[in-house]
Structures are given as structure tokens and as C-alpha cells.
């Protein structure tokens, strides 16, 4: 009899499940770790690039600030009047002063449009700079130009900057140039570094070295065109670049500054990615810890699944061994519970089957063969058990497969995986728990990743240093700039580190000033605990100035920012110093200008007084000569010398006009001439001028016509008459044939009074020149009388005083038209003229006339004229002589009185003369001063005022008018 075969050794379900869970979890976890390692390397490279970007920003900002400061100072100096004047002495003072304000500049100089020096701040001889690039760029209209090259005189590497010197209208006068050593640029580049191997350097656009922290200064302008950074910049590949120099891999940021220079910041790749290597090592440790945790979890999950299966297996073993003497029960509502209950049914059925068989055997032993067994119930129970067992195995297999799939997806980082099968009992609960957990984990991880990335990007791209502490004053966030500013050790700055440790480090380093370290620390801790806002500046070693601002962050803690404002402070201090210097110089120039203006005003007043006195003194003999000629004119009318007398009289008339013009200019320049506007009709003025100049025009064979008008204007009639007299005088003087027309046109704002002539005309390029003082144009035709060259200058000055516009149009060899625009007046404001008694012709014979004047020649000449008219003449040379004579004799019929005598003002004698004679005597006042200057003094008198030189016909008419109006008996 062969032995019963021994059943194979059974492997426990727990070991199988545990091994399966480990394989399902650890394989994706390893893949996920590899993926995360790759991502951390990418993040590390991005962080390295961000550090290089911030380092590059700092270097470029410092260089740009320095170059902009130079440009601002040069443009400010170039706009000064002393600089624009291109006066060598004035510019010498300017460039010397500016050189003292810019310590890095070894030469400040100016150049004219030929490139030749005008002034320079050193003691070297003047030189030509027309070969310089900046010279050509400024001539082409550049707002500024800069280059790095060898100095023309110093023969050393230098920074050259030039700005234009221009007039207010933009006309280029020259240029202002600064020559500086490269030390200032080098300091801006070499004062900053990144870690142990990170540094910066500058190159010109053609590959010449400007500054390099790792090169000696005598290598500046060294050819760097073979450097990989220049090749990348030349190819337009700016930004982050990787290259190898001297066998060392470098990571570099390549950019350009405002002036077009190439700025390179680079760092060894090994140092730059040191954080990545550290992260990899940390990730390995994390992977080991995670694997251990997964192993433990797998053990627990496998145990949870294996225990009910092992219980069912134990029941099956009992039944297979024929041991039915046991009872099993379960509260489970899943497939395992169904299988346990089915097996319990099989046990009970077997028990009933065995009991039935035992009863049949006992009946058979008694000889009773009528008993039968119930096979159907056993078959049905066994069939149910097998069905539940199969269903349990299928459900377990599907559930475990789906659990493994979800766990693998989560391990790969796919948080969208879900269990989708239909389960009851344990697997239904497991499905719900796993799906809910995966969704929550996905949401949480996404939010954490978003917030972490946002915070990291925000902090790392800030040019300021930033630190954030929580409510327990522990460090929770910071950026690299914060660490760079204070130079913290790597092990000091960690998440959860008490901020007190960092503050104490700064205090012990002397960054918080002198004093007790503990007190300084507690003072700053108090600010953080109270959560109060604060802002202040702190100066660090190396002339670094930080602007520190702190603000509470609700729900987080306290945030502090640290901004490096060193460059701005330096620029501010230098500009303030320069502004103070310029203000002092402007103040000094203003005082000099005020003194010069005062001297000019004084000289102008003295000139006006001298001119008035000279004209007055010179006009006296001319007046006497004119009167003498008038006296003898009638006697020689039929003699051969009559023409000579006429010519002499015309010459004296020209001298009179010259003196009148000089007096007008004197009065206008002195500002003593008052303008008296009134509404008036133009017709009487034009008619008077037509009559006055008509005879003169006819004597030269010309026809003077004027067009009548009803125009009412608002003007000063005396000044307007002076303008029109000059127009007419010039028209007659420069016209040899034809005629002159005086007329009025209506325009939008009023009226335009025009004087047309058919004279020689004026060239188009001379129409402005004729309004200059003492400017006379040479006529094309001979026989034209020259004027003094003052008439039109007076016209322009009067028009400016009246705010009128004077225009001229001319056609050479055909004639000219001069015009002045006068505003419209109000006709309702006109006063009707009062009719005067008619002037009696003749009636001067036997009249007693006194003439009081302090000029001997004028007195004698006037007496000669009056005696020829039949008057009895008494002359006096002073006011005192007049009073003495009045006390001895009777009152005259008429008194001719000079306004200004040597011992008194003429009209001041009238009250005393009236007292002596007992009545008012008619008076004619004569004066060499303008009538408008005497208005205030004579406003209460109605006596006529004649202007010197006295014209006999005007004096004759005035005397007749007075005798007619006062009805003095003849």
C-alpha cells in the first residue's frame, strides 16, 4: 500500500499580499523620486539663473546710475548762460568748478564746432578733438555721446562723455566733454560679487574690456573678443548662457546697459548648482524614509486583508479534516462574510448528513432498511459555499488590482486616479476612503505648490532683501538678496530659526551701531512683537545704505524689506552739492547782473539827461538862426541871395527834425513819456497833416493826396501824429516823381492808416534794417535828400509803447507803403468842438510884447522877428529881471515866457506878475521839452504851448489867436 502523498507546503496569503503591495508601491515611488530629482535640478538651475539675474540687475543699475549722473550734471552745466556764451574765460571758470564737483573726472573741457578746445580744467594746452567719435555724433544731433578709449592727452583708458551746448532756439554752439578714469566704473562692477566664484565684467560693443573684478586695471581695454560671452552677445544670444572657460563650466547672464556696453555676470556651475546637489542628497534620505514608511503601511494593509481570508481558510481546514464540532459566526456584510456564512451552512448540512447517516446505520442494524438520506440539502449548501467563494475571489482580485493601480498612479504623481469598481462591504469602504483621500491630497498639493511657487518667485525676483517671521518670531521666508546684504552664514538662515539669532548676529557684527548688544537686540524684538510699522535707514560697512521698512502681515507675522539705496544716496549727495554750488554761482551772477543792470540804468539816465541837455543847448543857437533867417527872408526875397537863404532855412529845418528825433528817443528811453489815450476822429489829424506836408510836396513837384474818413479811433493823438509825420517825411524825402497818398482802411480790430509813395522802394532784405537807429539806406537815384536815420526807429518805439503794429511793404523802383494799425474808438464818447472866435489877420502892429528867455541869441532873434511884425518888444534874461522890470513899467499886451529859466520855472512868475499888474496878461509858453512831459505842470492853464525851436508862423498864429480870444484892444 503506497503512502499517502504529502501535500505541498502552502505559502501564507499574508506574505503574498505584502510582497505584492511592496512591489506596487516601491516601483512607482522610485520612478517618482527620479522625476522629482529631475524637477529639482531644473528648479535649481532656475534659482541659479534668478540669482544671476539679480546680481546682473545690481551691477547694471550701479553702472547706469553712474553714467546717468554724469549725463545729468553735464546737461545742467551745458545749459548755463556762461557755457552757452562760448566765452573762454567764463567757460574756464565753469569747467574748473565742475571738475571739483566730479572727483572721478580728470578733465572737463569744452570744444567749438570745429572740435578745438575753448576751455579745459587742466593746465595742458588746448587741443583738437574733431577725430573723436563723440564729436561726430554731437554734430549729427545726438543728445549725448559716450565712448571708452585711450585719452588723447593722458594716453590711458578713459570714459568720455559729451553733451551739446545749444542756444535756446536749439542752435548748436559747441560741446561739453568729460574725461574720467575707469576706476569709478570698475568700482561699480567689482564692488559686488556672487558667492565665492561669481563676479561681473564689462566690455565695449567691439569686445574691449572696460572693467573686470578678476583682471588688473592695466588690462583695461584688453581684447576680449575671443571670450565666449562676447561671441554670444555678438550673435544676439543675450540672457542665460553656459560655456567653459579654462576648463571650468560657467553659468552667465549677458545683457547690455544704456550705453550699449556688454555686462556679463557669471558663476562657476558647481557653486551655482550646489543647492541642487544638496537637494539630491536630501531627497535620497527622504526616499529611504518613505520606503520604510511604505513598507510599514504595506504590512498593515496586507495584514488587514489577510486576516479574514486566513480565518475562512482555517474553517475550511476544520471541515476538510472532518471536525464539525465548532461554531463560527461573523458580522461582516461583504463577500467574506457571505463565504463564512456559507461555510457555516455547509458545516451544518454535513452535520445533519452525518447524523442522518448514523440514524440509517443504527436502523439497518436493527433490520430497518426504510430510512433514507437527504443529499439535496448538502449539495445545495456546498454549491452556495463554492459560489460565494468564487465571488469572493473575483471581488478580492478586482479590488486589489484597482487599489494597486491607484497607489501606483499616486506614486507617479498622478493625483487624478480613482477607484471605479462596484464593491460591497470592506472594498466599498476602502474605495470611498481612497478616492476621497486622493482628491483631498491633490487639492492640498496643488494649493501648496501654487503658493510656494508664487511666494518663491515673488521673493526671489525682488531687488530688495525680504524676511518674514511668524507670530512666534521665527523665520519662515526670505530671499537670497536678504542673505547677500547681511552676509549670513548658510547654517544661520533656516526655516523656524528664531529671528533673535539673526538680529544678535547683526548686533555683534556692529551693524546696529554701538551700545549694549542685548539692549539693541531687545529693542528690535520689541518692534516685531508690537507689530508696529517702521521705516528708517541704516548705513552698513562699505558705504552701503539700506532703507528698511517693516509691516505686520495679518495671519502670518511680520515682514521686513531691505532696499539698497547707496547709489541713490551718492547721486543725491553729489547733485545736492552741485546744486548748492550752482545756486551760489547763479546767486553771484544774479547779483553781478543786477549791478550791471543798475549801472546800465544809471548810464541810460545820464545819457538821456545829457542828450536832453545837449539838444536843448544846441537847439538854442539853431532856433536863433532860424528866427534871424525868418526876419531877413522878406528883405532879400527879390535879391540873388534869396535862394541861399531858402536853402539855409531848409538846412536848419533838418537840424530841427534831428533835434526833435533825439529828444523823442531820450524821452522814450527814459520812460518819462506818458501815453494819454482818448477817443478822437481821424479826419482833423489827416487834414492837418495833409495841409502841413502838402506845400512841401508841391515844392518838390509831388502831389500829396489824402482820403477823407469818418473813422473814430482810440489813441494818443500827439504820438500818432509823430508816427504819421515820419511816414510822410520819409515818403517825400525818398520820392522824386509821382505822388503820395494818405488814407485809411477798415480792418477787423479797427483801422489801418497807410502812406503810399512812388519812390525808390526798399529791398526785401532791408525792411527790418530800416527801423534801426541811425540806419539810412543808400537810394538808387541821385538827388535824394538823406535823413538822420532816427525817424523809423522812433516810429517802432512809439508803436511798441502804444501796442500798435507797424508794417511795411515795398517794391524796389516802384514805391512803398507804410502802415500802422489803430484800434476802433467809441464815437459816443466824443465831445463836440467849441467854436472859437475867428483869428484876425494882422493886428500885431503896436502891440506891447515881453519875451523872457535865458538864451541871449534866442532873445535877440525873437526880438528881431517881433519888431518886423510891428511889435514893441521888451526882453528879459531871467525871472528876477522880469519882476524888476514889471515893477517899473506897465503890463504888456502879451507875455512870451520860456518854461525853464536858469533861476526859476517860467509859469511860477505869473501869480506875482498878476499881483503887480492887477490883472491877467495873455501868455504864450515856449519850451524845448515835450508837451506830454509838461501836462501835469500846465494842466490848470489854458495858455498855448509852443515847442522849441519856435517856428515864426506858429508864433504869429498863436499871438493872433490870443488877441482875438481875449479881445485885447489894438
Amino acid at each position: 500500500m503506497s503512502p499517502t502523498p504529502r501535500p505541498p507546503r502552502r505559502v501564507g496569503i499574508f506574505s503574498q499580499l505584502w510582497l505584492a503591495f511592496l512591489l506596487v508601491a516601491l516601483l512607482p515611488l522610485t520612478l517618482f523620486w527620479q522625476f522629482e530629482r529631475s524637477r529639482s535640478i531644473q528648479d535649481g538651475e532656475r534659482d541659479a539663473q534668478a540669482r544671476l539675474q539679480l546680481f546682473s540687475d545690481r551691477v547694471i543699475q550701479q553702472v547706469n546710475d553712474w553714467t546717468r549722473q554724469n549725463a545729468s550734471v553735464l546737461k545742467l552745466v551745458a545749459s548755463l548762460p556762461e557755457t552757452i556764451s562760448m566765452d573762454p574765460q567764463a567757460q574756464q571758470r565753469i569747467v574748473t568748478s565742475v571738475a571739483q564737483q566730479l572727483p572721478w573726472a580728470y578733465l572737463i573741457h569744452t570744444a567749438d564746432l570745429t572740435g578745438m578746445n575753448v576751455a579745459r580744467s587742466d593746465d595742458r594746452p588746448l587741443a583738437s578733438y574733431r577725430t573723436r567719435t563723440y564729436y561726430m555724433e554731437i554734430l549729427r544731433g545726438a543728445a549725448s555721446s559716450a565712448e571708452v578709449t585711450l585719452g588723447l592727452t593722458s594716453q590711458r583708458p578713459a570714459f568720455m562723455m559729451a553733451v551739446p551746448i545749444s542756444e535756446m532756439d536749439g542752435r548748436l554752439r559747441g560741446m561739453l566733454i568729460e574725461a574720467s578714469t575707469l576706476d569709478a566704473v570698475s568700482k561699480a562692477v567689482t564692488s559686488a560679487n556672487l558667492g565665492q566664484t561669481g563676479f561681473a565684467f564689462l566690455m565695449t560693443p567691439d569686445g574691449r574690456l572696460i572693467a573686470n573684478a578678476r583682471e588688473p586695471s592695466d588690462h583695461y581695454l584688453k581684447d576680449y573678443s575671443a571670450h565666449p560671452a562676447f561671441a554670444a552677445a555678438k550673435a544676439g544670444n543675450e540672457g542665460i548662457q553656459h560655456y567653459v572657460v579654462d576648463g571650468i563650466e560657467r553659468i552667465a547672464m549677458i545683457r547690455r546697459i544704456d550705453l550699449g556696453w556688454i555686462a556679463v555676470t557669471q558663476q562657476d556651475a558647481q557653486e551655482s548648482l550646489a543647492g541642487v546637489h544638496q537637494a539630491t542628497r536630501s531627497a535620497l534620505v527622504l526616499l529611504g524614509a518613505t520606503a520604510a514608511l511604505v513598507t510599514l503601511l504595506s504590512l498593515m494593509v496586507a495584514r488587514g486583508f489577510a486576516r479574514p481570508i486566513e480565518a475562512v481558510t482555517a474553517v475550511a481546514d476544520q471541515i476538510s479534516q472532518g471536525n464539525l464540532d465548532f461554531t463560527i459566526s461573523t458580522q461582516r456584510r461583504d463577500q467574506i462574510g457571505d463565504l463564512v456564512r456559507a461555510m457555516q451552512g455547509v458545516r451544518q448540512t454535513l452535520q445533519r448528513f452525518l447524523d442522518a447517516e448514523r440514524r440509517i446505520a443504527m436502523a439497518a442494524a436493527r433490520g430497518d432498511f426504510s430510512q433514507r438520506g437527504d443529499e439535496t440539502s448538502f449539495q445545495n449548501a456546498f454549491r452556495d459555499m463554492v459560489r460565494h467563494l468564487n465571488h469572493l475571489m473575483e471581488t478580492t482580485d478586482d479590488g486589489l488590482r484597482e487599489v494597486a493601480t491607484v497607489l501606483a498612479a499616486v506614486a507617479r504623481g498622478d493625483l487624478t486616479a480613482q477607484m471605479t469598481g462596484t464593491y460591497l462591504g470592506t472594498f466599498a469602504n476602502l474605495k470611498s476612503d481612497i478616492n476621497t483621500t486622493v482628491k483631498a491630497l491633490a487639492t492640498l498639493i496643488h494649493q501648496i505648490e501654487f503658493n510656494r511657487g508664487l511666494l518663491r518667485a515673488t521673493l526671489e525676483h525682488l531687488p530688495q532683501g525680504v524676511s518674514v517671521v511668524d507670530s512666534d518670531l521665527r523665520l519662515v521666508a526670505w530671499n537670497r538678496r536678504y542673505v547677500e546684504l547681511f552676509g549670513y552664514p548658510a547654517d544661520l538662515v533656516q526655516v523656524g530659526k528664531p529671528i533673535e539669532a539673526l538680529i544678535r548676529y547683526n548686533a555683534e557684527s556692529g551693524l546696529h551701531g554701538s551700545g549694549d548688544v542685548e539692549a539693541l537686540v531687545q529693542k528690535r524684538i520689541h518692534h516685531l512683537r508690537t507689530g508696529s510699522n517702521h521705516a528708517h535707514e541704516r548705513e552698513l560697512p562699505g558705504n552701503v545704505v539700506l532703507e528698511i521698512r517693516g509691516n505686520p502681515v495679518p495671519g502670518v507675522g511680520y515682514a521686513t524689506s531691505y532696499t539698497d539705496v547707496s547709489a541713490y544716496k551718492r547721486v543725491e549727495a553729489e547733485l545736492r552739492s552741485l546744486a548748492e554750488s550752482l545756486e551760489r554761482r547763479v546767486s553771484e551772477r544774479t547779483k553781478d547782473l543786477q549791478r550791471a543792470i543798475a549801472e546800465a540804468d544809471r548810464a541810460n539816465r545820464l545819457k538821456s539827461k545829457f542828450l536832453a541837455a545837449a539838444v536843448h543847448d544846441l537847439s538854442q543857437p539853431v532856433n536863433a538862426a532860424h528866427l534871424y533867417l525868418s526876419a531877413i527872408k522878406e528883405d532879400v526875397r527879390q535879391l540873388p541871395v534869396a535862394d541861399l537863404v531858402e536853402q539855409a532855412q531848409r538846412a536848419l529845418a533838418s537840424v530841427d527834425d534831428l533835434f526833435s528825433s533825439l529828444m523823442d528817443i531820450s524821452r522814450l528811453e527814459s520812460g518819462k513819456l506818458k501815453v494819454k489815450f482818448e477817443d478822437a476822429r481821424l479826419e482833423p489829424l489827416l487834414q492837418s497833416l495833409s495841409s502841413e506836408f502838402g506845400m512841401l510836396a508841391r515844392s518838390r513837384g509831388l502831389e500829396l493826396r489824402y482820403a477823407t474818413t469818418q473813422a473814430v479811433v482810440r489813441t494818443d493823438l500827439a504820438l500818432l501824429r509823430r508816427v504819421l509825420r515820419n511816414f510822410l517825411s520819409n515818403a517825400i524825402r525818398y520820392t522824386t516823381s509821382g505822388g503820395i497818398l494818405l488814407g485809411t482802411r477798415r480792418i477787423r480790430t479797427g483801422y489801418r492808416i497807410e502812406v503810399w509813395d512812388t519812390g525808390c522802394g526798399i529791398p526785401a532784405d532791408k525792411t527790418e534794417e530800416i527801423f534801426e537807429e541811425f540806419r539810412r539806406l543808400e537810394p538808387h537815384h541821385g538827388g535824394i535828400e538823406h535823413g538822420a536815420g532816427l525817424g523809423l526807429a522812433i516810429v517802432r518805439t512809439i508803436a511798441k509803447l502804444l501796442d500798435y503794429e507797424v508794417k511795411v511793404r515795398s517794391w524796389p523802383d516802384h514805391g512803398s507803403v507804410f502802415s500802422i494799425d489803430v484800434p476802433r474808438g467809441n464815437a459816443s464818447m466824443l465831445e463836440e468842438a467849441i467854436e472859437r472866435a475867428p483869428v484876425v489877420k494882422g493886428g500885431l502892429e503896436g502891440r506891447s510884447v515881453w519875451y523872457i528867455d535865458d538864451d541871449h541869441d534866442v532873445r535877440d532873434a525873437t526880438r528881431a522877428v517881433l519888431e518886423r511884425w510891428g511889435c514893441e518888444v521888451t526882453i528879459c534874461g531871467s525871472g528876477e529881471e522880469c519882476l524888476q522890470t514889471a515893477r517899473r513899467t506897465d503890463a504888456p499886451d502879451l507875455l512870451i515866457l520860456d518854461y525853464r529859466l536858469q533861476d526859476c520855472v517860467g509859469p511860477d512868475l505869473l501869480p506875482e506878475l498878476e499881483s503887480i499888474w492887477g490883472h491877467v496878461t495873455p501868455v504864450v509858453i515856449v519850451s524845448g521839452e515835450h508837451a506830454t512831459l509838461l501836462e501835469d505842470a500846465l494842466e490848470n492853464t489854458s495858455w498855448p504851448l509852443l515847442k522849441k525851436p519856435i517856428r515864426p508862423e506858429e508864433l504869429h498864429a498863436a499871438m493872433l489867436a490870443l488877441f482875438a480870444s481875449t479881445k485885447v484892444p489894438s
Side-chain angles (χ1 to χ4, degrees):
M1 183 174 180
S2 61
T4 302
R6 190 176 179 183
R9 184 178 180 182
R10 186 173 61 186
V11 180
I13 188 64
F14 166 70
S15 300
Q16 296 181 10
L17 285 176
W18 187 24
L19 181 61
F21 282 144
L22 283 177
L23 290 175
V24 169
L26 290 180
L27 182 61
L29 181 62
T30 304
L31 296 175
F32 177 69
W33 175 83
Q34 184 64 30
F35 169 76
E36 281 298 308
R37 179 175 176 274
S38 300
R39 191 173 69 171
S40 67
I41 292 175
Q42 295 176 356
D43 291 343
E45 290 182 346
R46 281 196 296 269
D47 291 343
Q49 294 174 7
R51 287 195 299 272
L52 280 173
Q53 177 75 38
L54 291 174
F55 183 35
S56 177
D57 289 344
R58 180 181 178 185
V59 171
I60 290 177
Q61 179 181 357
Q62 288 180 338
V63 176
N64 282 338
D65 286 346
W66 184 79
T67 56
R68 289 169 187 165
Q69 176 188 356
N70 281 275
S72 299
V73 171
L74 291 180
K75 289 179 181 179
L76 178 63
V77 173
S79 65
L80 295 176
E82 296 92 332
T83 310
I84 298 175
S85 70
M86 298 302 291
D87 177 63
Q89 294 182 349
Q91 287 193 350
Q92 185 62 49
R93 293 192 298 269
I94 289 293
V95 298
T96 302
S97 176
V98 174
Q100 296 172 355
Q101 303 296 327
L102 302 178
W104 53 80
Y106 66 82
L107 175 62
I108 303 293
H109 59 117
T110 59
D112 58 22
L113 296 182
T114 67
M116 191 65 189
N117 269 154
V118 178
R120 52 190 299 146
S121 61
D122 60 8
D123 55 358
R124 294 178 181 267
L126 302 180
S128 175
Y129 290 83
R130 63 182 301 114
T131 60
R132 287 301 194 189
T133 302
Y134 58 73
Y135 168 78
M136 301 303 299
E137 290 183 352
I138 294 297
L139 287 186
R140 286 195 293 265
S144 64
S145 177
E147 62 177 305
V148 176
T149 184
L150 285 178
L152 186 63
T153 55
S154 65
Q155 291 300 309
R156 56 180 173 174
F159 166 74
M160 310 289 184
M161 175 171 280
V163 298
I165 300 174
S166 303
E167 296 277 9
M168 296 297 293
D169 58 2
R171 184 163 53 90
L172 184 65
R173 297 294 306 278
M175 58 198 73
L176 176 66
I177 308 116
E178 171 196 349
S180 303
T181 64
L182 294 181
D183 294 341
V185 182
S186 177
K187 183 178 179 182
V189 173
T190 60
S191 62
N193 54 60
L194 182 62
Q196 299 296 322
T197 62
F199 65 96
F201 60 92
L202 280 177
M203 297 180 289
T204 63
D206 58 352
R208 295 288 176 179
L209 180 64
I210 298 175
N212 188 338
R214 305 299 171 90
E215 292 274 7
S217 60
D218 56 357
H219 284 189
Y220 291 166
L221 296 187
K222 175 182 177 182
D223 186 4
Y224 253 48
S225 59
H227 197 283
F230 176 75
K234 187 176 180 180
N237 299 326
E238 299 181 8
I240 294 294
Q241 298 293 323
H242 294 258
Y243 51 74
V244 177
V245 177
D246 298 331
I248 301 175
E249 184 182 0
R250 308 284 174 87
I251 300 177
M253 170 67 73
I254 303 175
R255 298 167 64 187
R256 292 182 184 267
I257 69 168
D258 291 348
L259 297 180
W261 299 347
I262 302 170
V264 182
T265 53
Q266 68 176 28
Q267 189 178 26
D268 290 358
Q270 183 176 1
E271 181 185 18
S272 181
L273 299 178
V276 176
H277 302 325
Q278 178 63 37
T280 301
R281 290 191 292 270
S282 300
L284 283 173
V285 174
L286 181 62
L287 176 63
T290 304
L293 180 62
V294 168
T295 301
L296 179 61
L297 290 175
S298 299
L299 178 64
M300 295 172 63
V301 172
R303 174 58 63 190
F305 277 101
R307 187 169 294 160
I309 295 176
E310 289 176 344
V312 171
T313 303
V315 172
D317 287 343
Q318 293 288 332
I319 295 175
S320 65
Q321 294 173 8
N323 181 13
L324 301 178
D325 190 15
F326 63 90
T327 301
I328 57 175
S329 64
T330 181
Q331 301 296 324
R332 299 176 69 95
R333 299 301 180 190
D334 55 2
Q335 287 82 359
I336 293 178
D338 293 340
L339 180 60
V340 170
R341 284 187 287 273
M343 296 182 72
Q344 174 70 8
V346 169
R347 186 192 68 77
Q348 293 175 351
T349 301
L350 285 175
Q351 186 67 45
R352 286 196 301 274
F353 177 76
L354 292 177
D355 292 343
E357 289 296 323
R358 190 177 296 114
R359 286 194 302 272
I360 293 174
M362 294 175 63
R366 291 192 305 267
D368 183 4
F369 294 97
S370 61
Q371 299 289 329
R372 294 288 186 271
D374 186 4
E375 298 180 1
T376 304
S377 60
F378 173 75
Q379 292 175 350
N380 289 337
F382 188 78
R383 188 182 298 111
D384 288 343
M385 181 187 71
V386 172
R387 180 170 55 82
H388 286 304
L389 181 61
N390 290 336
H391 186 255
L392 172 64
M393 297 303 295
E394 292 175 359
T395 301
T396 302
D397 185 56
D398 293 342
L400 291 178
R401 185 186 304 111
E402 201 164 9
V403 168
T405 301
V406 172
L407 289 177
V410 172
R412 291 194 307 271
D414 181 8
L415 300 179
T416 61
Q418 296 280 293
M419 291 183 66
T420 58
T422 304
Y423 305 102
L424 298 174
T426 300
F427 279 98
N429 295 333
L430 182 62
K431 170 186 174 182
S432 176
D433 293 342
I434 289 179
N435 288 347
T436 302
T437 302
V438 171
K439 287 181 181 179
L441 183 61
T443 302
L444 179 61
I445 291 178
H446 174 74
Q447 188 65 37
I448 291 174
E449 287 292 332
F450 176 78
N451 292 338
R452 185 180 67 177
L454 180 62
L455 179 61
R456 181 175 60 189
T458 302
L459 292 181
E460 293 301 337
H461 286 81
L462 288 176
Q464 300 93 350
V466 177
S467 66
V468 182
V469 298
D470 58 16
S471 57
D472 296 326
L473 302 186
R474 295 182 178 276
L475 191 64
V476 295
W478 66 92
N479 62 359
R480 292 181 184 84
R481 183 61 177 152
Y482 172 66
V483 178
E484 291 174 357
L485 285 173
F486 294 100
Y488 291 128
D491 58 347
L492 183 62
V493 184
Q494 298 177 0
V495 174
K497 192 77 169 182
I499 195 64
E500 182 177 349
L502 282 77
I503 296 176
R504 189 177 304 279
Y505 177 85
N506 291 338
E508 292 173 349
S509 301
L511 300 184
H512 292 316
S514 60
D516 181 62
V517 171
E518 189 62 30
L520 294 172
V521 172
Q522 294 306 318
K523 175 182 177 182
R524 283 154 180 80
I525 292 295
H526 174 72
H527 282 301
L528 297 175
R529 281 204 178 99
T530 56
S532 57
N533 297 335
H534 75 276
H536 67 280
E537 292 182 354
R538 183 190 304 167
E539 187 170 351
L540 303 182
N543 295 325
V544 176
V545 180
L546 294 182
E547 181 185 65
I548 303 175
R549 294 182 177 273
N551 297 281
V553 181
V556 177
Y558 201 87
T560 308
S561 65
Y562 306 85
T563 306
D564 186 353
V565 295
S566 308
Y568 301 104
K569 287 296 179 181
R570 287 195 297 270
V571 172
E572 180 184 11
E574 290 164 357
L575 290 180
R576 186 184 301 111
S577 175
L578 180 60
E580 291 173 355
S581 174
L582 291 177
E583 285 177 2
R584 287 195 301 271
R585 289 168 45 210
V586 169
S587 177
E588 292 172 359
R589 299 296 185 274
T590 302
K591 292 178 181 178
D592 293 342
L593 181 60
Q594 289 173 345
R595 285 194 294 269
I597 291 174
E599 289 294 329
D601 289 342
R602 180 174 175 273
N604 192 48
R605 289 194 299 271
L606 292 176
K607 182 200 75 173
S608 299
K609 290 181 179 179
F610 171 77
L611 186 60
V615 170
H616 181 271
D617 293 342
L618 290 172
S619 65
Q620 298 294 359
V622 173
N623 186 25
H626 194 70
L627 293 172
Y628 280 131
L629 286 173
S630 296
I632 67 173
K633 186 175 181 180
E634 294 299 326
D635 295 338
V636 301
R637 183 176 296 278
Q638 303 303 323
L639 298 179
V641 296
D643 291 339
L644 296 176
V645 173
E646 182 68 26
Q647 291 176 8
Q649 198 166 24
R650 282 202 300 270
L652 289 173
S654 297
V655 175
D656 287 347
D657 287 340
L658 174 59
F659 287 161
S660 297
S661 297
L662 290 173
M663 287 299 295
D664 285 342
I665 289 177
S666 175
R667 296 180 188 110
L668 290 169
E669 290 183 349
S670 65
K672 293 181 179 179
L673 193 62
K674 297 180 180 179
V675 179
K676 183 179 180 181
F677 286 102
E678 60 180 331
D679 296 307
R681 296 189 184 278
L682 270 181
E683 177 64 21
L685 174 61
L686 299 186
Q687 185 179 20
S688 172
L689 292 172
S690 176
S691 299
E692 180 180 348
F693 286 91
M695 185 176 296
L696 178 60
R698 287 191 295 273
S699 68
R700 300 195 177 196
L702 305 174
E703 180 185 5
L704 172 61
R705 296 179 295 118
Y706 91 94
T708 60
T709 178
Q710 299 298 318
V712 177
V713 296
R714 183 162 185 80
T715 186
D716 184 312
L717 282 176
L719 295 178
L720 181 60
R721 173 184 286 273
R722 186 63 178 163
V723 171
L724 297 179
R725 281 177 59 85
N726 275 293
F727 285 171
L728 291 169
S729 177
N730 283 340
I732 293 173
R733 179 178 292 115
Y734 290 100
T735 301
T736 57
S737 63
I740 295 99
L741 175 63
L742 173 63
T744 306
R745 293 179 186 272
R746 186 187 297 272
I747 59 176
R748 185 177 60 84
T749 58
Y751 298 94
R752 177 171 295 159
I753 306 174
E754 298 178 336
V755 175
W756 292 71
D757 67 59
T758 57
C760 60
I762 306 167
D765 59 343
K766 303 293 185 181
T767 54
E768 283 297 321
E769 185 178 325
I770 59 175
F771 288 97
E772 299 176 7
E773 294 179 1
F774 300 104
R775 177 68 67 178
R776 298 181 300 183
L777 301 182
E778 293 296 330
H780 300 292
H781 307 289
I784 293 181
E785 177 186 348
H786 286 290
L790 292 173
L792 291 179
I794 294 174
V795 166
R796 176 64 62 86
T797 305
I798 292 176
K800 185 177 180 181
L801 185 64
L802 296 174
D803 196 21
Y804 292 172
E805 184 178 7
V806 173
K807 298 179 180 178
V808 59
R809 290 175 290 160
S810 186
W811 302 266
D813 298 326
H814 290 84
S816 305
V817 54
F818 286 81
S819 64
I820 184 169
D821 295 346
V822 185
R824 185 178 291 107
N826 188 355
S828 64
M829 300 299 293
L830 295 177
E831 296 182 1
E832 295 299 327
I834 301 174
E835 290 194 20
R836 295 180 178 271
V839 177
V840 179
K841 297 181 179 180
L844 297 184
E845 293 81 359
R847 295 291 189 179
S848 174
V849 179
W850 285 19
Y851 183 62
I852 299 90
D853 198 314
D854 54 7
D855 188 277
H856 180 272
D857 292 335
V858 175
R859 289 199 306 269
D860 290 346
T862 304
R863 179 171 61 182
V865 171
L866 292 173
E867 287 177 346
R868 290 195 59 79
W869 294 342
C871 300
E872 297 177 1
V873 182
T874 300
I875 61 175
C876 299
S878 66
E880 183 61 31
E881 183 182 353
C882 175
L883 294 176
Q884 291 177 2
T885 305
R887 294 187 183 99
R888 298 194 305 266
T889 60
D890 294 333
D893 297 328
L894 181 66
L895 191 64
I896 301 175
L897 181 60
D898 189 10
Y899 179 79
R900 197 169 300 279
L901 302 172
Q902 288 187 352
D903 58 349
C904 66
V905 175
D908 291 347
L909 299 173
L910 296 179
E912 191 166 351
L913 291 175
E914 181 180 350
S915 173
I916 295 172
W917 291 328
H919 62 82
V920 177
T921 302
V923 179
V924 173
I925 298 176
V926 296
S927 175
E929 302 181 40
H930 197 278
T932 55
L933 299 178
L934 303 178
E935 285 180 353
D936 294 338
L938 302 177
E939 62 180 354
N940 295 324
T941 66
S942 59
W943 308 124
L945 172 66
L946 298 182
K947 179 184 174 185
K948 287 185 176 181
I950 304 172
R951 298 181 182 274
E953 58 271 21
E954 293 180 353
L955 177 60
H956 189 274
M959 293 172 64
L960 289 177
L962 272 177
F963 289 142
S965 62
T966 57
K967 296 183 173 60
V968 177
S970 57

